[in-house]
Amino acid sequence: VKDQALLDKLAADQRYALATLKVDSTPTFFVNGERLTGAMSFEELEARIKLLKK
Amino acid sequence: LIDTRRVFAALALPGLALLGFVSLLPIGEATAQDTTAALVAKQVSLSDMAMGSIKAPVIITEYASMSCPHCAAFGENVFPMLKSNISTPVRCVSCFGNSRSTSRPRDLDAGPLHRQRGCREVFWCCRSHVQTAGAADGSDHRYPESDRQAERDERAGRSRLA
């Protein structure tokens, strides 16, 4: 990709994710604002969604 | 004689204070999450790919990398089930290539590509190609055995939350 403007935007997004959201590894998930890092199984995600429904 | 009003006041005030403190705890936690949710939802420069209604009660935002095996496993095993096996409406937002850990050449290429094509599925199409190429050219996309084992564990259902 040689579109410098696009790369600059991506870099701005990276800075925001790191500085503001503390995203320093992948995958990082936010479930309604709750930060979860690392691998995620369907069962774990489903359990969290069920908690949010209550 | 004991002044009942004073006794009542002496007991009631700490009780009310304790009740107020306890009731504020979950509210404070919820407010912090709401603040984070607003920060996550904020569009900085590039638009992210999203699936599902903007009014969905559950919004899952995923920061992922094109060359991350855990992300690939999520896309392959969990994401399809999210679409079909959950009765609650869920909105999924995917952010590829915009976390520091993805600042590798292929990821920097893949992030804009993902957005320009306007299709999340590009990730699933490219994933195996990116990972295979990374392993073949000896670049930093080569994964240590521990990561490969973690991926095998995930596929076997032994996933973890870090």
Side-chain angles (χ1 to χ4, degrees):
Chain A
V1 176
K2 298 189 188 303
D3 186 342
Q4 190 55 47
L6 196 60
L7 289 173
D8 288 346
K9 286 180 179 176
L10 195 65
D13 278 355
Q14 280 185 0
R15 284 195 296 273
Y16 180 81
L18 178 63
T20 307
L21 304 176
K22 312 298 179 198
V23 175
D24 58 4
S25 64
T26 56
T28 295
F29 301 92
F30 291 92
V31 181
N32 281 12
E34 185 186 3
R35 184 174 180 277
L36 308 164
T37 58
M40 174 81 72
S41 72
F42 175 71
E43 289 74 20
E44 287 165 332
L45 202 50
E46 188 182 34
R48 289 186 181 273
I49 290 171
K50 279 183 182 167
L51 278 178
L52 288 172
K53 282 174 72 179
K54 288 180 181 174
Chain B
L1 284 176
I2 299 171
D3 187 337
T4 52
R5 281 179 298 182
R6 287 186 183 217
V7 171
F8 178 76
L11 292 175
L13 284 175
L16 283 174
L18 182 65
L19 187 65
F21 176 71
V22 169
S23 65
L24 280 176
L25 282 178
I27 294 172
E29 192 178 317
T31 306
Q33 277 195 22
D34 290 346
T35 305
T36 307
L39 291 172
V40 171
K42 182 182 174 186
Q43 185 178 323
V44 182
S45 297
L46 296 169
S47 59
D48 295 313
M49 298 306 300
M51 229 178 235
S53 168
I54 199 161
K55 292 178 181 171
V58 178
I59 298 178
I60 300 169
T61 304
E62 172 201 18
Y63 276 83
S65 159
M66 292 279 186
S67 57
C68 155
H70 301 293
C71 307
F74 179 83
E76 202 167 81
N77 304 324
V78 183
F79 183 68
M81 293 181 77
L82 259 185
K83 289 194 290 186
S84 57
N85 288 26
I86 289 195
S87 57
T88 308
V90 174
R91 177 174 170 83
C92 292
V93 182
S94 298
C95 312
F96 285 108
N98 48 359
S99 76
R100 186 187 63 171
S101 66
T102 64
S103 303
R104 290 172 291 198
R106 271 194 197 88
D107 283 315
L108 284 176
D109 283 347
L113 174 72
H114 163 67
R115 289 169 173 82
Q116 284 181 330
R117 292 285 178 85
C119 176
R120 181 190 168 96
E121 299 306 319
V122 169
F123 173 67
W124 317 131
C125 299
C126 295
R127 184 194 61 234
S128 58
H129 167 71
V130 170
Q131 290 181 328
T132 306
D137 67 13
S139 70
D140 61 354
H141 291 75
R142 191 188 292 271
Y143 296 108
E145 179 55 29
S146 57
D147 274 3
R148 294 195 191 114
Q149 183 58 49
E151 189 178 15
R152 284 194 290 271
D153 286 348
E154 272 177 26
R155 288 178 193 280
R158 296 188 294 270
S159 61
R160 63 173 176 77
L161 274 177

